[in-house]
Amino acid sequence: MNIEVNGPKILFQIPILGGINITETTRNAWIIMVLIIGVSIFLTRNLSVRNPSRRQIIAEKLVTTANNWVESTMGVRYRSFAPYIGALFISSLCGSLSSVTGARPFTGDLSTTLAWALVTTVMVQVNNIRANGVLGWLKSFTKPVFVMTPINLVSEIATPISLSFRHFGNIGSGIVITTLIYAALSAASHALLGWIPNDFIANIPILQIGIPAFLSLYFDVFTSFLQAFIISMLTMVFVSNAGE
């Protein structure tokens, strides 16, 4: 039984700047973004103060939920971060849940989660400067004592690395484990039906029917919600702490 678990396939290359590879990650990310934009446009069409439609009620509920989540975690003065946190959560969730359709989740690519982590890092540093000024920001690296400066700098560098690898590692490991389970069930099905002379029947992966669906509840559904929640919560905590 030969099993190969590779990274996202390169679909084609744009011949500029030495060649830009368009991978499954890029394609799937754009598909998810287009779907999210389409749903957003659909829910927010023809808004009305009186007699709001069901679509408008759903849209208002989603916005209110995002605002309340940010306010309860970061405080009222950080309410302006709600659109970003909401976009981050729904992008992560939909990107990971796309594995249910058989597509490769783009959150299983380190380039995706690292990009989100770098954006969070920039927001943290900008918020720190806004709250404490440039001198206060530089001074924060020397707290509580000056000799801690190297450790504080390493900590700042480690934050985006930790944030990105946590999300990528959980989704990526799910891809690997799911592939191994499907391969094992295929081999077990062949061992179970291999004695049948008919090659068509002997090669039916009967054990792959039903069993992976239960495993999908954890690897695809639960993990997707959990990682979207974690990366959003950590982003809010890091940004709000930087403004103290």
Side-chain angles (χ1 to χ4, degrees):
M1 180 176 63
N2 297 323
I3 304 174
E4 291 186 5
V5 181
N6 301 315
K9 297 178 181 178
I10 298 176
L11 304 178
F12 61 92
Q13 188 178 78
I14 301 177
I16 58 175
L17 302 176
I20 300 177
N21 294 329
I22 303 300
T23 66
E24 289 179 297
T25 297
T26 309
R27 179 198 63 189
N28 296 345
W30 275 98
I31 291 175
I32 294 298
M33 285 191 291
V34 169
L35 291 176
I36 293 175
I37 292 172
V39 171
S40 300
I41 294 174
F42 172 74
L43 292 178
T44 55
R45 284 191 312 160
N46 302 323
L47 298 181
S48 175
V49 177
R50 297 181 178 178
N51 299 323
S53 62
R54 292 182 180 179
R55 293 184 287 104
Q56 181 175 338
I57 293 174
I58 294 174
E60 291 178 355
K61 181 61 177 178
L62 293 174
V63 172
T64 302
T65 301
N67 288 336
N68 292 339
W69 188 23
V70 171
E71 289 179 9
S72 63
T73 305
M74 304 176 71
V76 178
R77 65 192 179 108
Y78 290 104
R79 186 178 181 180
S80 59
F81 285 88
Y84 173 73
I85 298 300
L88 177 63
F89 179 85
I90 198 66
S91 297
S92 172
L93 178 61
C94 293
S96 301
L97 283 177
S98 62
S99 59
V100 176
T101 66
R104 181 185 177 86
F106 63 82
T107 50
D109 191 331
L110 182 59
S111 60
T112 299
T113 56
L114 181 58
W116 290 345
L118 291 176
V119 171
T120 296
T121 302
V122 171
M123 294 171 64
V124 167
Q125 303 307 325
V126 170
N127 203 36
N128 195 330
I129 294 174
R130 284 180 176 177
N132 305 302
V134 176
L135 293 179
W137 170 64
L138 294 175
K139 187 178 179 181
S140 66
F141 294 108
T142 65
K143 293 181 178 180
V145 291
F146 181 77
V147 294
M148 294 293 293
T149 301
I151 297 178
N152 290 333
L153 291 174
V154 171
S155 177
E156 292 296 327
I157 296 174
T159 296
I161 297 176
S162 172
L163 192 62
S164 60
F165 270 92
R166 179 184 290 105
H167 198 314
F168 158 74
N170 281 278
I171 303 301
S173 62
I175 296 174
V176 174
I177 293 173
T178 300
T179 302
L180 294 175
I181 290 175
Y182 268 96
L185 291 175
S186 177
S189 298
H190 183 72
L192 182 64
L193 302 177
W195 59 272
I196 300 178
N198 190 306
D199 291 338
F200 175 77
I201 297 178
N203 291 324
I204 295 177
I206 188 172
L207 295 180
Q208 288 185 348
I209 302 174
I211 297 178
F214 293 99
L215 299 175
S216 179
L217 291 176
Y218 176 80
F219 290 112
D220 294 328
V221 180
F222 176 74
T223 302
S224 298
F225 277 93
L226 180 62
Q227 293 308 312
F229 175 78
I230 289 176
I231 193 172
S232 300
M233 282 295 297
L234 289 178
T235 296
M236 289 189 284
V237 170
F238 289 152
V239 173
S240 59
N241 286 345
E244 297 299 328

